[in-house]
Amino acid sequence: MSAVVTKINISSIMNRPKQVTDSIVVGKDVLDLLAGSMYVDPLNIYREYVQNAADAIDEARDKGLKFAEQPDVEISFNQLDRVVKIRDQGTGVPSNEFVQRLTSIGSSQKRGKKLRGFRGVGRLSALGYCQELIFRSRAEGEKNVSELRWDGRILREKMRDQSFEGGLAEIVQAATSFNMLPGDGYPSRFFEVEMRKISRVRNDILLNEDIVRSYLSQVAPVPFSDEFKFRQEIQSHLEAHGIRAPIHIEISDGKGQVFHRAQNNIFLRDSVSTQVNSIELVEYRGSDGEICAIGWIGDHAYAGSIPKRHGLGGIRLRAGNIQIGDELILAEIFPEARFAGWAIGDIHVISPKILPNGRRDEFEPSAHYSHFQTELAIQAKNITQLIRERSAQRNRLRGVGLQLSNAHVWIKAVSEKSLPPLLAKILLEIAAQKLEQAEKEAAKLDNASEDYLVTAKKVDELRTELNKSQVLKASTHSRINPGSNLDKSLPAILKTILTNAKTPSDGIELSIEVMGAVELV
């Protein structure tokens, strides 16, 4: 009987991975990243706190809690003391959960609940921009108010202190303090963020009510203004797909409620504006066939890029009705990136498979997001084509308008001035040619557009004027020998002068001078 030989690969056993059992150290620098480097735009802190307020308000609505008549969210500014308070009428945080929830980092109770915030880091966003960050709250039925203070100065001192050997938990404990306050003077249910001694950044934008108002009109889940003529149509579309009702935000600047950025008129320059003529309600389906996003796109003249300072342009992406990124988030998928700033609209992502990244300036890379971007690229291509078509129409319209304007001057000159018969005849001939050319070009315009209707009306009016004009038949050869070269060439000379002059009036004056030189006037 032959022996059985078993081979053992010792190297495979030695190289087999083992689970890490060493203690995991989370250093204090993580807090520095979250408080100072997480959000590039300082204004993002308003988005984070309003987002948390919107989630709390939705929860209060779902629970059937009563709301006071004041706004859902109030933002008050005190420039003298450099203080901003953001207070909402949401559910509040119960006192027995208050400290744990507001000192935990990256541990949110919202994950999996279809709420906007779910990473548990946004509440610390203001730490990098103020000396003291204070949270206050009272839940329904509670007597006292819970208060937690984050001391930004202590936090930064500990961060810079090389001798401080504590980790994340120790630095949080060193920088925070808790207190219970009497409930007198506070709402029966609320949550409040107070930022004290706010830093001066970028021309002090954090304390500029106008800038904050404009920012929130773009990113926050606020309603459309009653003046926006498509508000009800869009809102019905959003509600039909489960987009939560907007919230009422007011700022202490005396200008009342904050509304969505959308407007009927879009100013391209100080003296040039265009109107939103209609909207397209859109739906996008994911690779699984389910609707992954819905929204609206405004149709207008596409006469130029919408200035960024107005905060109107761009097709914006939103999740939970909170804007993700800025007006140029789709620039890369346009055939020409510049055209992203010509469009206007909102696309709301409703698929749970497409998630915003931690900074909320983009969505997390995934196969589902890639498929969605492909769908958006088709839309961007269609918008680009429309922009080019509208540009061609404007160029054609300008050409038609110039021809009609010249024809009008020539016809009017014949009827109002005592012109040499030959010149009058030539003017009417040229006017007839220009009208014919204008009619041909006008026929290429969109015959459903207002521009076409206005142009066609002008053509008809000038045609009537032309037909009423009498062609003067008086002899024009009294001082020119019949058959002479001048007799044959003068009409051609006059036509050249009239059609190439800087203005029609200049052409008429020069023609009269030429005819005077040959003693025909």
Side-chain angles (χ1 to χ4, degrees), residues 406-407 409-414 417 419-434 466 494-495 498 504 507-508 511:
N406 290 349
V409 173
W410 290 323
I411 294 171
K412 187 176 180 181
V414 171
K417 295 183 179 181
L419 298 176
L422 176 61
L423 180 58
K425 179 181 178 182
I426 292 173
L427 285 174
L428 293 176
E429 288 177 355
I430 297 176
Q433 292 172 358
K434 293 300 181 182
L466 180 64
L494 294 178
K495 285 184 179 180
L498 290 166
I508 292 172
S511 296

Side-chain angles (χ1 to χ4, degrees), residues 441-472:
E441 288 299 306
K444 298 176 184 178
L445 297 172
D446 179 3
N447 59 15
S449 69
E450 184 178 350
D451 290 335
Y452 171 80
L453 298 176
V454 172
T455 302
K457 183 179 179 181
K458 287 181 179 178
V459 170
D460 289 341
E461 290 173 351
L462 284 176
R463 177 68 65 189
T464 300
E465 288 183 34
L466 180 64
N467 291 336
K468 289 180 179 179
S469 298
Q470 297 179 353
V471 178
L472 302 178

